[in-house]
Every structure is written in C-alpha cells, then in structure tokens.
Amino acid sequence: MLNHIVIMGRLTRDPELRYTQAQVPVASFTVAVDRDFGGRDGGEKQTDFIDCSAWRQTGEFVSKYFRKGSMIVVSGRLQSRKWQDRDGNNRTNWEISADSVYFGESRRREDENRDSYGGNYSANSYGGNSYESNRSASAPAQANPFTELGDDDGELPF
C-alpha cells in the first residue's frame, strides 16, 4: 500500500512548536494550497487549508525557518485522527504528517521578505552552510545557474 502526499502552498500562520511529555518536538502548521483550476466557468480559484505536523528535527526546522506567508513544500503521509468533541460527537481530522519540508521560494525572494518576519539564514544554523558562506571573499561571483521566475501567486487567500 502507498500513502504519500506532496503539497506546496503558503503558511496561514506561524508554526506552533510544542513538546510531548517525552520532550519530543512537534510543529503544527496549516498550508493554504490553491487548486490547479478555477471554477468550471473560469471563476475564482479555490483554496484548500491543509493541517500539517512535523516531528523531531523536521518540526524544529519548520519552527525556526518558516513564518506566516512563507512558501513551503511538504512531503509526507496523509493520516486521520479520531476524537470526541465536548458534546460527545465523534469527529475526524485529516492532516499530513511531514517526512520532509522544503523551501518553496528562492533564497533571494526569502531575503527580500526577511525583515518582515525576522528570518535568519546564517552558516551552519541548521547543519548546513549557506551559499554565501561557501564563497571565498577573493573569488569572483559566479552566475546563478537557475532562472528567476516571476511571482504569479496573485493575492494570498489569508
């Protein structure tokens, strides 16, 4: 059996990092994902709001580097949680349990927005080196091998 899902969208709020009783970190967040099509008559796009959770180092990574409005790519599995509300009604909640999380926008774009949410990309801050820290001060700047794409996101749904 296969249960694998990948979504890309924007965070609707800052991730919430909590710890279990065993001190295992878990981050909860919601991703707004536009559907690939408009209405049947070419109307407005529809947006789905998908709850996600990320455990351990992945949860700490999400909490540290992502903020409301950040573009995020989440890869994981779809799972359900069953619970009872205050009135005794049975409820089911569907969420993605994230195995991997990736930045959904270019670093340049994130750096432009960094001041608005206080993001910080320093060398070795999450176990890796930033692009700038790998370049020597005397080495000439090399052309970026990636092409910058335009921002076609339109208005955010939140």
Side-chain angles (χ1 to χ4, degrees):
M1 302 233 158
L2 180 65
N3 181 357
H4 185 82
I5 187 168
V6 178
I7 63 169
M8 180 176 180
R10 294 197 181 273
L11 292 180
T12 61
R13 59 183 165 83
D14 288 349
E16 179 183 339
L17 183 65
R18 298 181 320 262
Y19 292 87
T20 65
Q21 291 179 351
Q23 297 304 309
V24 177
V26 57
S28 299
F29 53 98
T30 302
V31 180
V33 180
D34 284 337
R35 295 187 184 175
D36 287 338
F37 58 89
R40 292 183 185 193
D41 57 354
E44 291 186 37
K45 283 188 177 181
Q46 293 181 340
T47 302
D48 294 307
F49 297 90
I50 302 172
D51 294 329
C52 301
S53 61
W55 294 81
R56 298 176 182 76
Q57 293 90 350
T58 305
E60 290 174 332
F61 175 77
V62 169
S63 175
K64 188 173 184 178
Y65 293 103
F66 290 89
R67 298 288 176 258
K68 178 180 178 179
S70 297
M71 182 70 74
I72 188 170
V73 178
V74 180
S75 174
R77 65 187 178 282
L78 186 63
Q79 63 186 32
S80 65
R81 287 187 294 136
K82 297 182 187 283
W83 50 282
Q84 283 190 347
D85 64 13
R86 294 179 190 166
D87 300 328
N89 298 320
N90 291 329
R91 302 285 184 174
T92 302
N93 184 42
W94 290 91
E95 70 180 8
I96 294 175
S97 180
D99 294 325
S100 303
V101 172
Y102 307 94
F103 294 106
E105 358 185 50
S106 70
R107 181 175 172 143
R108 180 181 304 157
R109 171 93 176 165
E110 284 288 331
D111 286 344
E112 290 170 3
N113 296 331
R114 177 174 50 188
D115 294 333
S116 66
Y117 62 81
N120 183 6
Y121 300 96
S122 60
N124 294 320
S125 60
Y126 59 91
N129 291 327
S130 67
Y131 176 74
E132 285 79 9
S133 67
N134 290 332
R135 292 190 344 209
S136 166
S138 62
Q142 295 183 2
N144 185 352
F146 299 102
T147 303
E148 188 72 21
L149 298 176
D151 185 17
D152 296 331
D153 291 335
E155 290 188 30
L156 294 176
F158 47 88

